[in-house]
PDB file of all heavy atoms in Angstrom:
ATOM      1  N   LEU A 142       9.325  14.407 -13.278  1.00  0.00           N
ATOM      2  CA  LEU A 142       8.347  15.130 -14.075  1.00  0.00           C
ATOM      3  C   LEU A 142       7.247  15.554 -13.109  1.00  0.00           C
ATOM      4  O   LEU A 142       6.537  14.717 -12.552  1.00  0.00           O
ATOM      5  CB  LEU A 142       7.786  14.237 -15.181  1.00  0.00           C
ATOM      6  CG  LEU A 142       6.596  14.779 -15.966  1.00  0.00           C
ATOM      7  CD1 LEU A 142       6.970  16.058 -16.715  1.00  0.00           C
ATOM      8  CD2 LEU A 142       6.087  13.725 -16.950  1.00  0.00           C
ATOM      9  N   TYR A 143       7.105  16.879 -12.908  1.00  0.00           N
ATOM     10  CA  TYR A 143       6.196  17.384 -11.876  1.00  0.00           C
ATOM     11  C   TYR A 143       4.761  17.502 -12.396  1.00  0.00           C
ATOM     12  O   TYR A 143       4.513  18.051 -13.462  1.00  0.00           O
ATOM     13  CB  TYR A 143       6.681  18.741 -11.367  1.00  0.00           C
ATOM     14  CG  TYR A 143       7.936  18.635 -10.544  1.00  0.00           C
ATOM     15  CD1 TYR A 143       9.190  18.792 -11.138  1.00  0.00           C
ATOM     16  CD2 TYR A 143       7.885  18.339  -9.189  1.00  0.00           C
ATOM     17  CE1 TYR A 143      10.350  18.665 -10.393  1.00  0.00           C
ATOM     18  CE2 TYR A 143       9.039  18.216  -8.434  1.00  0.00           C
ATOM     19  CZ  TYR A 143      10.273  18.380  -9.040  1.00  0.00           C
ATOM     20  OH  TYR A 143      11.416  18.243  -8.309  1.00  0.00           O
ATOM     21  N   VAL A 144       3.845  16.996 -11.595  1.00  0.00           N
ATOM     22  CA  VAL A 144       2.416  17.081 -11.873  1.00  0.00           C
ATOM     23  C   VAL A 144       1.759  18.090 -10.930  1.00  0.00           C
ATOM     24  O   VAL A 144       0.883  18.859 -11.327  1.00  0.00           O
ATOM     25  CB  VAL A 144       1.755  15.697 -11.709  1.00  0.00           C
ATOM     26  CG1 VAL A 144       0.263  15.754 -12.017  1.00  0.00           C
ATOM     27  CG2 VAL A 144       2.445  14.650 -12.575  1.00  0.00           C
ATOM     28  N   ARG A 145       2.222  18.101  -9.699  1.00  0.00           N
ATOM     29  CA  ARG A 145       1.631  18.950  -8.658  1.00  0.00           C
ATOM     30  C   ARG A 145       2.750  19.349  -7.706  1.00  0.00           C
ATOM     31  O   ARG A 145       3.595  18.530  -7.359  1.00  0.00           O
ATOM     32  CB  ARG A 145       0.546  18.158  -7.926  1.00  0.00           C
ATOM     33  CG  ARG A 145      -0.314  18.940  -6.962  1.00  0.00           C
ATOM     34  CD  ARG A 145      -1.418  18.019  -6.424  1.00  0.00           C
ATOM     35  NE  ARG A 145      -2.212  18.674  -5.413  1.00  0.00           N
ATOM     36  CZ  ARG A 145      -3.253  19.458  -5.663  1.00  0.00           C
ATOM     37  NH1 ARG A 145      -3.617  19.678  -6.906  1.00  0.00           N
ATOM     38  NH2 ARG A 145      -3.934  20.009  -4.680  1.00  0.00           N
ATOM     39  N   TYR A 146       2.749  20.617  -7.273  1.00  0.00           N
ATOM     40  CA  TYR A 146       3.810  21.097  -6.383  1.00  0.00           C
ATOM     41  C   TYR A 146       3.219  22.229  -5.552  1.00  0.00           C
ATOM     42  O   TYR A 146       2.619  23.149  -6.089  1.00  0.00           O
ATOM     43  CB  TYR A 146       5.002  21.599  -7.203  1.00  0.00           C
ATOM     44  CG  TYR A 146       6.284  21.782  -6.422  1.00  0.00           C
ATOM     45  CD1 TYR A 146       7.358  20.927  -6.619  1.00  0.00           C
ATOM     46  CD2 TYR A 146       6.431  22.801  -5.505  1.00  0.00           C
ATOM     47  CE1 TYR A 146       8.545  21.091  -5.922  1.00  0.00           C
ATOM     48  CE2 TYR A 146       7.608  22.976  -4.796  1.00  0.00           C
ATOM     49  CZ  TYR A 146       8.661  22.117  -5.012  1.00  0.00           C
ATOM     50  OH  TYR A 146       9.828  22.281  -4.313  1.00  0.00           O
ATOM     51  N   GLY A 147       3.389  22.141  -4.221  1.00  0.00           N
ATOM     52  CA  GLY A 147       2.856  23.184  -3.349  1.00  0.00           C
ATOM     53  C   GLY A 147       1.342  23.268  -3.387  1.00  0.00           C
ATOM     54  O   GLY A 147       0.767  24.345  -3.321  1.00  0.00           O
ATOM     55  N   ALA A 148       0.677  22.103  -3.489  1.00  0.00           N
ATOM     56  CA  ALA A 148      -0.789  22.008  -3.493  1.00  0.00           C
ATOM     57  C   ALA A 148      -1.427  22.618  -4.736  1.00  0.00           C
ATOM     58  O   ALA A 148      -2.609  22.927  -4.742  1.00  0.00           O
ATOM     59  CB  ALA A 148      -1.383  22.625  -2.224  1.00  0.00           C
ATOM     60  N   LYS A 149      -0.643  22.795  -5.809  1.00  0.00           N
ATOM     61  CA  LYS A 149      -1.183  23.368  -7.041  1.00  0.00           C
ATOM     62  C   LYS A 149      -0.692  22.557  -8.244  1.00  0.00           C
ATOM     63  O   LYS A 149       0.430  22.055  -8.238  1.00  0.00           O
ATOM     64  CB  LYS A 149      -0.727  24.822  -7.201  1.00  0.00           C
ATOM     65  CG  LYS A 149      -1.220  25.757  -6.110  1.00  0.00           C
ATOM     66  CD  LYS A 149      -0.642  27.150  -6.309  1.00  0.00           C
ATOM     67  CE  LYS A 149      -1.089  28.096  -5.185  1.00  0.00           C
ATOM     68  NZ  LYS A 149      -0.494  29.443  -5.340  1.00  0.00           N
ATOM     69  N   PRO A 150      -1.519  22.444  -9.287  1.00  0.00           N
ATOM     70  CA  PRO A 150      -1.046  21.802 -10.514  1.00  0.00           C
ATOM     71  C   PRO A 150       0.124  22.575 -11.123  1.00  0.00           C
ATOM     72  O   PRO A 150       0.164  23.797 -11.052  1.00  0.00           O
ATOM     73  CB  PRO A 150      -2.267  21.852 -11.444  1.00  0.00           C
ATOM     74  CG  PRO A 150      -3.444  22.061 -10.547  1.00  0.00           C
ATOM     75  CD  PRO A 150      -2.935  22.855  -9.384  1.00  0.00           C
ATOM     76  N   VAL A 151       1.070  21.857 -11.694  1.00  0.00           N
ATOM     77  CA  VAL A 151       2.208  22.487 -12.353  1.00  0.00           C
ATOM     78  C   VAL A 151       1.811  22.749 -13.801  1.00  0.00           C
ATOM     79  O   VAL A 151       1.954  21.891 -14.682  1.00  0.00           O
ATOM     80  CB  VAL A 151       3.459  21.598 -12.252  1.00  0.00           C
ATOM     81  CG1 VAL A 151       4.634  22.242 -12.982  1.00  0.00           C
ATOM     82  CG2 VAL A 151       3.820  21.366 -10.784  1.00  0.00           C
ATOM     83  N   GLU A 152       1.289  23.941 -14.050  1.00  0.00           N
ATOM     84  CA  GLU A 152       0.676  24.257 -15.345  1.00  0.00           C
ATOM     85  C   GLU A 152       1.666  24.190 -16.491  1.00  0.00           C
ATOM     86  O   GLU A 152       1.283  23.909 -17.634  1.00  0.00           O
ATOM     87  CB  GLU A 152       0.017  25.640 -15.287  1.00  0.00           C
ATOM     88  CG  GLU A 152      -1.142  25.729 -14.307  1.00  0.00           C
ATOM     89  CD  GLU A 152      -2.299  24.808 -14.669  1.00  0.00           C
ATOM     90  OE1 GLU A 152      -2.398  24.402 -15.844  1.00  0.00           O
ATOM     91  OE2 GLU A 152      -3.100  24.473 -13.775  1.00  0.00           O
ATOM     92  N   VAL A 153       2.941  24.435 -16.215  1.00  0.00           N
ATOM     93  CA  VAL A 153       3.933  24.430 -17.282  1.00  0.00           C
ATOM     94  C   VAL A 153       4.034  23.055 -17.946  1.00  0.00           C
ATOM     95  O   VAL A 153       4.485  22.940 -19.092  1.00  0.00           O
ATOM     96  CB  VAL A 153       5.303  24.903 -16.742  1.00  0.00           C
ATOM     97  CG1 VAL A 153       5.913  23.876 -15.810  1.00  0.00           C
ATOM     98  CG2 VAL A 153       6.252  25.242 -17.882  1.00  0.00           C
ATOM     99  N   ASN A 154       3.599  22.005 -17.245  1.00  0.00           N
ATOM    100  CA  ASN A 154       3.678  20.651 -17.791  1.00  0.00           C
ATOM    101  C   ASN A 154       2.339  20.115 -18.296  1.00  0.00           C
ATOM    102  O   ASN A 154       2.269  18.979 -18.767  1.00  0.00           O
ATOM    103  CB  ASN A 154       4.236  19.689 -16.737  1.00  0.00           C
ATOM    104  CG  ASN A 154       5.717  19.912 -16.488  1.00  0.00           C
ATOM    105  OD1 ASN A 154       6.436  20.366 -17.370  1.00  0.00           O
ATOM    106  ND2 ASN A 154       6.174  19.612 -15.285  1.00  0.00           N
ATOM    107  N   ARG A 155       1.278  20.912 -18.201  1.00  0.00           N
ATOM    108  CA  ARG A 155      -0.050  20.403 -18.548  1.00  0.00           C
ATOM    109  C   ARG A 155      -0.130  19.952 -20.006  1.00  0.00           C
ATOM    110  O   ARG A 155      -0.770  18.944 -20.323  1.00  0.00           O
ATOM    111  CB  ARG A 155      -1.128  21.451 -18.258  1.00  0.00           C
ATOM    112  CG  ARG A 155      -2.542  20.927 -18.457  1.00  0.00           C
ATOM    113  CD  ARG A 155      -3.582  21.955 -18.090  1.00  0.00           C
ATOM    114  NE  ARG A 155      -3.610  22.236 -16.670  1.00  0.00           N
ATOM    115  CZ  ARG A 155      -4.284  21.503 -15.781  1.00  0.00           C
ATOM    116  NH1 ARG A 155      -4.973  20.444 -16.173  1.00  0.00           N
ATOM    117  NH2 ARG A 155      -4.282  21.844 -14.511  1.00  0.00           N
ATOM    118  N   SER A 156       0.493  20.681 -20.916  1.00  0.00           N
ATOM    119  CA  SER A 156       0.398  20.326 -22.333  1.00  0.00           C
ATOM    120  C   SER A 156       1.114  19.009 -22.635  1.00  0.00           C
ATOM    121  O   SER A 156       0.795  18.335 -23.613  1.00  0.00           O
ATOM    122  CB  SER A 156       0.973  21.442 -23.210  1.00  0.00           C
ATOM    123  OG  SER A 156       2.356  21.620 -22.944  1.00  0.00           O
ATOM    124  N   LEU A 157       2.074  18.627 -21.793  1.00  0.00           N
ATOM    125  CA  LEU A 157       2.820  17.387 -22.007  1.00  0.00           C
ATOM    126  C   LEU A 157       2.073  16.166 -21.495  1.00  0.00           C
ATOM    127  O   LEU A 157       2.168  15.083 -22.088  1.00  0.00           O
ATOM    128  CB  LEU A 157       4.182  17.472 -21.308  1.00  0.00           C
ATOM    129  CG  LEU A 157       5.154  18.528 -21.811  1.00  0.00           C
ATOM    130  CD1 LEU A 157       6.336  18.641 -20.861  1.00  0.00           C
ATOM    131  CD2 LEU A 157       5.637  18.176 -23.210  1.00  0.00           C
ATOM    132  N   ILE A 158       1.351  16.332 -20.390  1.00  0.00           N
ATOM    133  CA  ILE A 158       0.684  15.194 -19.740  1.00  0.00           C
ATOM    134  C   ILE A 158      -0.747  15.582 -19.352  1.00  0.00           C
ATOM    135  O   ILE A 158      -1.102  15.549 -18.172  1.00  0.00           O
ATOM    136  CB  ILE A 158       1.488  14.719 -18.510  1.00  0.00           C
ATOM    137  CG1 ILE A 158       1.894  15.917 -17.614  1.00  0.00           C
ATOM    138  CG2 ILE A 158       2.705  13.914 -18.917  1.00  0.00           C
ATOM    139  CD1 ILE A 158       2.472  15.512 -16.273  1.00  0.00           C
ATOM    140  N   PRO A 159      -1.586  15.954 -20.303  1.00  0.00           N
ATOM    141  CA  PRO A 159      -2.912  16.480 -19.961  1.00  0.00           C
ATOM    142  C   PRO A 159      -3.798  15.495 -19.208  1.00  0.00           C
ATOM    143  O   PRO A 159      -4.479  15.864 -18.239  1.00  0.00           O
ATOM    144  CB  PRO A 159      -3.509  16.853 -21.316  1.00  0.00           C
ATOM    145  CG  PRO A 159      -2.727  16.068 -22.324  1.00  0.00           C
ATOM    146  CD  PRO A 159      -1.351  15.952 -21.764  1.00  0.00           C
ATOM    147  N   ARG A 160      -3.821  14.229 -19.617  1.00  0.00           N
ATOM    148  CA  ARG A 160      -4.684  13.259 -18.932  1.00  0.00           C
ATOM    149  C   ARG A 160      -4.141  12.949 -17.541  1.00  0.00           C
ATOM    150  O   ARG A 160      -4.914  12.809 -16.588  1.00  0.00           O
ATOM    151  CB  ARG A 160      -4.777  11.970 -19.752  1.00  0.00           C
ATOM    152  CG  ARG A 160      -5.752  12.040 -20.890  1.00  0.00           C
ATOM    153  CD  ARG A 160      -7.210  12.100 -20.382  1.00  0.00           C
ATOM    154  NE  ARG A 160      -7.605  10.838 -19.752  1.00  0.00           N
ATOM    155  CZ  ARG A 160      -8.282  10.757 -18.615  1.00  0.00           C
ATOM    156  NH1 ARG A 160      -8.648  11.852 -17.970  1.00  0.00           N
ATOM    157  NH2 ARG A 160      -8.615   9.580 -18.106  1.00  0.00           N
ATOM    158  N   THR A 161      -2.837  12.846 -17.423  1.00  0.00           N
ATOM    159  CA  THR A 161      -2.249  12.597 -16.103  1.00  0.00           C
ATOM    160  C   THR A 161      -2.586  13.730 -15.153  1.00  0.00           C
ATOM    161  O   THR A 161      -2.957  13.494 -13.983  1.00  0.00           O
ATOM    162  CB  THR A 161      -0.720  12.434 -16.226  1.00  0.00           C
ATOM    163  OG1 THR A 161      -0.440  11.331 -17.086  1.00  0.00           O
ATOM    164  CG2 THR A 161      -0.083  12.205 -14.872  1.00  0.00           C
ATOM    165  N   MET A 162      -2.477  14.971 -15.624  1.00  0.00           N
ATOM    166  CA  MET A 162      -2.836  16.119 -14.790  1.00  0.00           C
ATOM    167  C   MET A 162      -4.300  16.039 -14.362  1.00  0.00           C
ATOM    168  O   MET A 162      -4.639  16.281 -13.197  1.00  0.00           O
ATOM    169  CB  MET A 162      -2.587  17.416 -15.565  1.00  0.00           C
ATOM    170  CG  MET A 162      -1.153  17.690 -15.912  1.00  0.00           C
ATOM    171  SD  MET A 162      -0.179  18.321 -14.521  1.00  0.00           S
ATOM    172  CE  MET A 162      -0.752  20.004 -14.447  1.00  0.00           C
ATOM    173  N   GLU A 163      -5.169  15.698 -15.303  1.00  0.00           N
ATOM    174  CA  GLU A 163      -6.599  15.618 -15.004  1.00  0.00           C
ATOM    175  C   GLU A 163      -6.886  14.518 -13.986  1.00  0.00           C
ATOM    176  O   GLU A 163      -7.637  14.720 -13.026  1.00  0.00           O
ATOM    177  CB  GLU A 163      -7.368  15.344 -16.300  1.00  0.00           C
ATOM    178  CG  GLU A 163      -8.870  15.248 -16.138  1.00  0.00           C
ATOM    179  CD  GLU A 163      -9.571  14.933 -17.451  1.00  0.00           C
ATOM    180  OE1 GLU A 163      -8.886  14.753 -18.480  1.00  0.00           O
ATOM    181  OE2 GLU A 163     -10.813  14.849 -17.439  1.00  0.00           O
TER     182      GLU A 163
END
Side-chain angles (χ1 to χ4, degrees):
L142 171 62
Y143 290 93
V144 181
R145 189 175 175 85
Y146 195 110
K149 297 176 182 178
V151 178
E152 296 297 339
V153 70
N154 288 332
R155 186 177 292 276
S156 63
L157 296 170
I158 48 170
R160 279 291 292 136
T161 300
M162 295 282 284
E163 180 182 2

